[in-house]
Amino acid sequence: MTAELVRGQNHALPQTRLEIRVSAGSPVVAGATLGDERGAVRGEEWVAHPGSPRLPGLEVSRQAAADHRLAVDLDALPEEVHRVTVLLALPTGAGRPVRFGAVAAPFVAVTGLDGTEIATFTLTGLDTETAVSALELYRRQGAWKVRAVGQGYAGGLAGMLADQGVVRAVEVAASIQEAVAAGLARAVTPPPRAPEPDRARNPATPAGSTAAGDGMPPAPVPPPQPPGDPAPVPPGVTPGGPIDYAHPRRQTTAPPPPPPTAPPAAPGQPAQPVAGDATGWSMDERLYNQIWGMFEDLARAVAAYRSAVDFAESRMDQELDRTLSDPRSRIGGASDRAREEARAKRDELTGRAREALDRDLAQLAAESAVVEPALPAAYAAWDNPVWHGYRVPMEIPMAMRIGDLHLPEDAGLRVPLLVRLPLERGIWLDSGRTASEAAAETSGDQLRRLAMETAVALATRLLAVYPADEFSVHVIDPAGSAAGALAPLVASGVLAGPPAAGAEGVSTVLAGLTRRVDLVQMAVRARASDALPPDLDTGEQLLIVNDFPHGFDDRAVTQLRYLADEGPAVGVHLLMVADREDARAYGPVLDPLWRSLLRITPVADDHLADPWVGHAWTYEPLRAPRGSRVLEQVLALVAAARRGGAH
């Protein structure tokens, strides 16, 4: 089954001898770089291009063409290589396209030597770029995977090579274009096969088995392909619109040294987990990618287990049907023996599947135990010691933690739920009692209190991860019912103004934020940001709304919908604490509002589903430990930084 990747998605590679096939609407230059465990290219000798097409385990085309086949033997690569990045660039010269946006979107496929496609990726969304990192093959815990990258560079080959740490990037880029212009003969043959005794095998994946994740022990039961096997996410199906996976502040220099590596694992044993053991140009990015990898590993391991259990149950039912359909088996104890044998086979299969799952869960738990203490404040839970040394940051992180996810097979194994920053959609904290069983067992007043406490914790985290004076929080509390929960924000003085109460207060706050959205949109369209009024706060804005729709008239509801739709693109975000039943009088008018927001709950609820295997993940909100004053301490530091910046 071919995996159709989107930007940022990865896929396990089942073999090490591969072809990478490139199809483009016009001639392009295809090359590749080798990267070490930091992702850095150590020198020109680690760049394969038309002027130097062969490297150990890798060969690329000798000239620009509309179609390419790159040959890769991962086992033949130097031991210190941990990443292979496939590069595409437009050739220079008169009459050539000057940007990828003017040509058809390139298509890249990773195949076996027999042409069977393993993963594909279409590089859409390119515009002024003249070079692009198409995809990368990378090694994680002994297993190789492919990741769709699609990172374009308007600076061309030189900018792309400099981004990977090549010292003489300009000269190397020039030599590549010269080789293309020289029109060297095109010839591509697979690299020599490594001698069989020297071929390394993933110690976590014995012969004849399939790995459930990145270096995870394989399941011994070979069930049929489950219908819910990890599936690609086509563009546009993610609620809330498309997501840009490009790092907003990708560096153009070599990344810092990687974290210390773990001691080598014993033969036949999985590698010891290491925090930051993923690709990325900063420790935060490596941790982000590692957490995402843990999520994928857990999803696939549980999917394999559930598929094996379903297969065992189906096999038992088929055997029993065959037995009972024979009248002779109904005489004597034959039918009883057949039932016992079928159930014994079922129990054996499910038991072996559970053993494999337990091994996977144990390794993921070990990885989580290493990763959690190493997380930065933006990714860390409130009980993490990193908050004791918190300082207001100088720039925003790439993501922020808003809760934890877990599956019923192991409720103790939690994976952080990270959302990218700046926020791409608003958040709805559902305070309704019909949301889940846990909500139904909680009184209405307690549920609303927990919802506001969760909202305050999220607002505090947003204030903490942004630089001083680059994030403002507004509050609408029409009836003043959330005064107790809002006390930490009010007492610290970090709010943009007192919580708005009554219909007049609601109208004033909504009018001010609507005006900001209008002005910023007009300035962006006219490319006249310097024409914005001097009193306009251009930083990110968060609006906390409590007790919706109390205090909202039709005009206020229309403004709220406008902020939900248009606000995120210009830095205005919603955090609504509401029970949908309270707004049922509006009928379907508000349906687009609810769908535009990311719904989370103040109590545990299994309402979040991943689009790969269809698991219903249980979401757990983040709250400070009972009796802890970590929120107040963080808010005090944020307030002090703002006062210091104002002088």
Side-chain angles (χ1 to χ4, degrees):
M1 176 176 165
T2 304
E4 299 176 2
L5 306 180
V6 297
R7 277 186 176 88
Q9 191 177 358
N10 57 32
H11 184 72
L13 292 174
Q15 58 201 72
T16 57
R17 288 177 58 81
L18 307 164
E19 276 191 355
I20 299 174
R21 302 185 179 186
V22 179
S23 298
S26 62
V28 297
V29 181
T33 60
L34 305 181
D36 58 18
E37 57 189 359
R38 300 177 302 166
V41 180
R42 295 187 177 179
E44 301 174 31
E45 65 275 12
W46 275 22
V47 182
H49 56 83
S52 177
R54 289 189 177 184
L55 295 179
L58 176 66
E59 186 168 353
V60 303
S61 303
R62 295 178 179 268
Q63 67 178 23
D67 297 294
H68 294 271
R69 289 192 179 185
L70 285 64
V72 181
D73 186 348
L74 298 175
D75 287 338
L77 294 173
E79 185 178 352
E80 58 269 31
V81 172
H82 289 252
R83 182 192 300 183
V84 179
T85 303
V86 177
L87 315 175
L88 303 179
L90 294 175
T92 57
R96 300 286 190 180
V98 295
R99 59 188 184 93
F100 269 109
V103 300
F107 174 81
V108 184
V110 180
T111 74
L113 296 184
D114 59 354
T116 302
E117 289 187 346
I118 300 169
T120 63
F121 176 42
T122 303
L123 284 78
T124 58
L126 298 175
D127 188 11
T128 60
E129 299 88 344
T130 59
V132 59
S133 294
L135 54 78
E136 61 186 18
L137 315 177
Y138 66 96
R139 181 163 51 190
R140 182 171 184 264
Q141 295 186 355
W144 283 93
K145 303 185 75 175
V146 56
R147 187 196 309 278
V149 181
Q151 175 69 46
Y153 295 83
L157 271 171
M160 180 166 53
L161 295 173
D163 197 18
Q164 298 189 30
V166 178
V167 177
R168 299 175 60 253
V170 175
E171 291 82 356
V172 175
S175 68
I176 294 175
Q177 294 291 1
E178 289 173 2
V180 172
L184 298 177
R186 180 182 179 184
V188 178
T189 57
R193 184 182 183 91
E196 194 63 27
D198 296 333
R199 293 173 60 83
R201 177 178 291 144
N202 177 8
T205 312
S209 65
T210 58
D214 295 338
M216 306 300 291
V221 182
Q225 185 74 16
D229 202 45
V233 189
V237 302
T238 303
I243 297 175
D244 181 10
Y245 288 93
H247 195 304
R249 295 175 308 282
R250 178 168 291 282
Q251 301 178 19
T252 57
T253 58
T261 57
Q269 298 296 321
Q272 294 298 316
V274 175
D277 184 19
T279 57
W281 288 83
S282 68
M283 187 61 174
D284 285 3
E285 188 176 1
R286 289 197 292 267
L287 287 169
Y288 176 88
N289 289 333
Q290 185 171 16
I291 290 172
W292 184 247
M294 292 167 60
F295 173 84
E296 289 183 338
D297 290 347
L298 179 56
R300 288 172 177 152
V302 171
Y305 168 71
R306 292 179 180 179
S307 176
V309 171
D310 291 343
F311 171 73
E313 293 286 349
S314 174
R315 177 176 173 178
M316 181 186 71
D317 292 341
Q318 292 174 3
E319 291 180 354
L320 290 178
D321 288 343
R322 286 196 299 268
T323 300
L324 296 178
S325 64
D326 185 356
R328 292 172 297 179
S329 65
R330 303 172 189 171
I331 303 174
S335 62
D336 293 337
R337 289 193 300 272
R339 289 190 184 94
E340 291 177 0
E341 291 175 359
R343 292 186 181 120
K345 292 179 182 177
R346 186 270 316 272
D347 293 342
E348 179 186 4
L349 288 175
T350 55
R352 291 163 59 192
R354 185 69 210 195
E355 290 176 2
L357 175 64
D358 289 341
R359 288 196 300 270
D360 291 348
L361 294 177
Q363 185 161 347
L364 281 170
E367 187 172 7
S368 177
V370 171
V371 169
E372 278 286 351
L375 295 179
Y379 302 174
W382 287 115
D383 58 355
N384 193 306
V386 71
W387 289 105
H388 297 310
Y390 166 76
R391 293 293 181 270
V392 177
M394 299 299 292
E395 61 178 14
I396 68 170
M398 66 183 298
M400 183 189 79
R401 186 175 186 167
I402 64 170
D404 292 332
L405 299 174
H406 64 83
L407 292 171
E409 280 74 8
D410 189 347
L413 179 57
R414 309 294 176 91
V415 179
L417 174 58
L418 304 179
V419 295
R420 295 295 291 263
L421 294 178
L423 293 174
E424 294 160 339
R425 57 194 299 208
I427 297 176
W428 167 30
L429 260 165
D430 190 352
S431 58
R433 295 190 63 202
T434 59
S436 65
E437 293 183 6
E441 296 171 356
T442 308
S443 67
D445 291 341
Q446 183 181 5
L447 199 60
R448 284 189 289 272
R449 177 181 59 81
L450 290 174
M452 274 308 300
E453 289 178 354
T454 304
V456 169
L458 287 174
T460 301
R461 186 173 288 263
L462 282 164
L463 287 164
V465 302
Y466 272 80
D469 296 327
E470 290 191 17
F471 197 90
S472 299
V473 177
H474 308 260
V475 177
I476 290 179
D477 186 21
S481 59
L486 291 170
L489 293 175
V490 175
S492 63
V494 295
L495 293 179
E504 183 179 356
V506 171
S507 177
T508 301
V509 172
L510 291 177
L513 290 175
T514 301
R515 170 179 174 267
R516 182 196 180 280
V517 172
D518 289 339
L519 291 175
V520 174
Q521 281 186 337
M522 288 188 291
V524 170
R525 290 168 185 163
R527 298 183 179 179
S529 57
D530 55 345
L532 289 170
D535 63 335
L536 188 73
D537 183 1
T538 57
E540 300 282 312
Q541 311 285 315
L542 176 71
L543 173 60
I544 302 176
V545 179
N546 184 41
D547 268 353
F548 177 80
H550 180 77
F552 282 74
D553 55 20
D554 290 345
R555 175 180 172 80
V557 170
T558 301
Q559 289 176 319
L560 192 68
R561 287 186 55 186
Y562 176 73
L563 292 178
D565 293 338
E566 303 293 335
V570 291
V572 176
H573 314 283
L574 287 184
L575 176 52
M576 290 189 60
V577 180
D579 180 358
R580 190 169 182 173
E581 289 298 311
D582 293 342
R584 63 183 179 275
Y586 287 92
V589 174
L590 289 180
D591 285 350
L593 173 64
W594 305 119
R595 287 196 298 266
S596 69
L597 304 174
L598 171 63
R599 175 178 171 263
I600 59 177
T601 52
V603 292
D605 186 25
D606 60 351
H607 66 283
L608 293 177
D610 69 70
W612 291 273
V613 291
H615 294 325
W617 293 79
T618 298
Y619 167 80
E620 292 272 2
L622 287 180
R623 278 194 288 270
R626 185 179 299 275
S628 171
R629 295 188 57 81
V630 62
L631 297 187
E632 289 82 357
Q633 294 168 359
V634 169
L635 289 172
L637 291 171
V638 172
R642 293 187 171 189
R643 288 193 299 269
H647 292 306

